Amino acid sequence: MYESTESSESAAVPGSSESLGSFGFVAVRRHEGGVAELVLDRPKAMNAVSTEMARGIVAACAQLASDPSVRVVVLSSTAERAFCVGADLKERNSFSDAELLRQRPTTRGAYGGVLELPMPVIAAVHGFALGGGFELALACDVIVADETAVVGLPEVSVGVIPGGGGTQLLPRRVGAARAAELIFTARRVEAGEALALGLVDSVVPAGSDREAALAMAAAMAANSPVGLRAAKRALRLGHGMDLTAGLEIEDAAWRTVAFSGDRAEGVAAFNEKRKPRWPGV
C-alpha cells in the first residue's frame, strides 16, 4: 500500500493487439487465439487502486465476463516498478468515515470482478504486489511472477485488515497457519521465498512475467472454451467441500460439457488426427 501523487495518464503496452477499450486507469486488449489482457494502467502511482481505478476494473471485468470469445485473461501492469501497490492511501486519507463506507462496494466490486471471471485468469506480477495488489493476484487462478516480485498483505501495519479477499484467498493457497503468520507480521516476501511458500506459481527472469503469462494463456486458450469454464467452475465451487459434495459439483460441471459442441468437436478432431475447431458452445 503506497500513497499516490499523480493525475490520470495512460501508458502503452508493448506487443499488444487490438484494444477493446479503456475504463479509467484500466485497459482491455485482445490477443490472438481468444486471449484477452486486463491491463492495470496507472503507472505514476504504481497502480494504487483509487475509486476511479476500482470502477474501471469493475467495468472491464463486466465486459470480459460477457464476451464468449474470450477464453483466457491475463492481468498485467504498465507500471515499471510494481504490479499494484494496493489501496490509494492518499485518496483514503482525505475520506471521512461516511465516504470510506460509500466507497466500500466499489472497491469490493473490483476484487470480486476479477475473482468471478468465468474463464481462467493469470496474473503477471513484477515488482511490488502489496495489499490490494496482491489480493488482485490472489483472485486469479495462476500467478506468474518475475524475479523482482515482492508480495505481501501489510494491512495490519496501517490499522486495517485485508479487505479484497486476502483473509480468505491466502489460506486457500498456503494453509491457515502460514496465512496467519504472513498477515499478522505484515511482512513482505521476495520472489524466491514466495515460490517456495506457494504464494506464486512460477518465477521467471526479470522483465519476462507478462511474456510468460501470455504464453501460458495461449497454451490454455488452445483448449475447449466450454471445457475451460466448466473446469474452473468445478475447481472453484468444489474447493473446501467434502469429497462427496465435491464430486457432485464436478458431475454437474461435466454435464455442461458432455453434450456440448466442443465435446463433439474434440472427439472428432482426435479421431481425425487434426486440431479441433472449437465452436465454444
Side-chain angles (χ1 to χ4, degrees), residues 127-152:
F128 295 114
L130 300 173
F134 189 39
E135 288 174 304
L136 285 172
L138 289 171
C140 299
D141 301 291
V142 180
I143 302 175
V144 175
D146 83 356
E147 295 167 336
T148 70
V150 179
V151 304

Side-chain angles (χ1 to χ4, degrees), residues 110-130:
Y111 299 111
V114 176
L115 183 65
E116 292 166 13
L117 283 170
M119 67 288 289
V121 185
I122 304 167
V125 174
H126 61 268
F128 295 114
L130 300 173

Side-chain angles (χ1 to χ4, degrees), residues 158-197:
V158 293
V160 292
I161 70 166
T167 64
Q168 304 306 303
L169 295 172
L170 189 58
R172 284 165 167 78
R173 264 194 166 262
V174 300
R178 180 64 70 193
E181 181 262 319
L182 292 167
I183 291 170
F184 296 162
T185 62
R187 72 183 180 94
R188 302 177 182 189
V189 182
E190 295 185 356
E193 184 184 4
L195 179 62
L197 295 178

Side-chain angles (χ1 to χ4, degrees), residues 214-225:
L214 286 170
M216 182 184 293
M220 291 180 183
N223 297 311
S224 158

Side-chain angles (χ1 to χ4, degrees), residues 149-266:
V150 179
V151 304
L153 297 176
E155 282 87 347
V156 297
S157 68
V158 293
V160 292
I161 70 166
T167 64
Q168 304 306 303
L169 295 172
L170 189 58
R172 284 165 167 78
R173 264 194 166 262
V174 300
R178 180 64 70 193
E181 181 262 319
L182 292 167
I183 291 170
F184 296 162
T185 62
R187 72 183 180 94
R188 302 177 182 189
V189 182
E190 295 185 356
E193 184 184 4
L195 179 62
L197 295 178
L199 297 173
V200 303
D201 300 302
S202 63
V203 174
V204 297
S208 64
D209 54 295
R210 177 176 175 267
E211 179 184 3
L214 286 170
M216 182 184 293
M220 291 180 183
N223 297 311
S224 158
V226 174
L228 287 171
R229 293 185 180 217
K232 176 168 179 171
R233 191 161 59 250
L235 284 163
R236 284 286 178 90
L237 294 178
H239 187 90
M241 295 283 190
D242 64 65
L243 181 58
T244 300
L247 289 173
E248 289 301 316
I249 288 170
E250 181 183 80
D251 185 67
W254 176 86
R255 291 174 185 276
T256 67
V257 298
F259 309 105
S260 69
D262 273 14
R263 198 275 309 173
E265 169 61 13

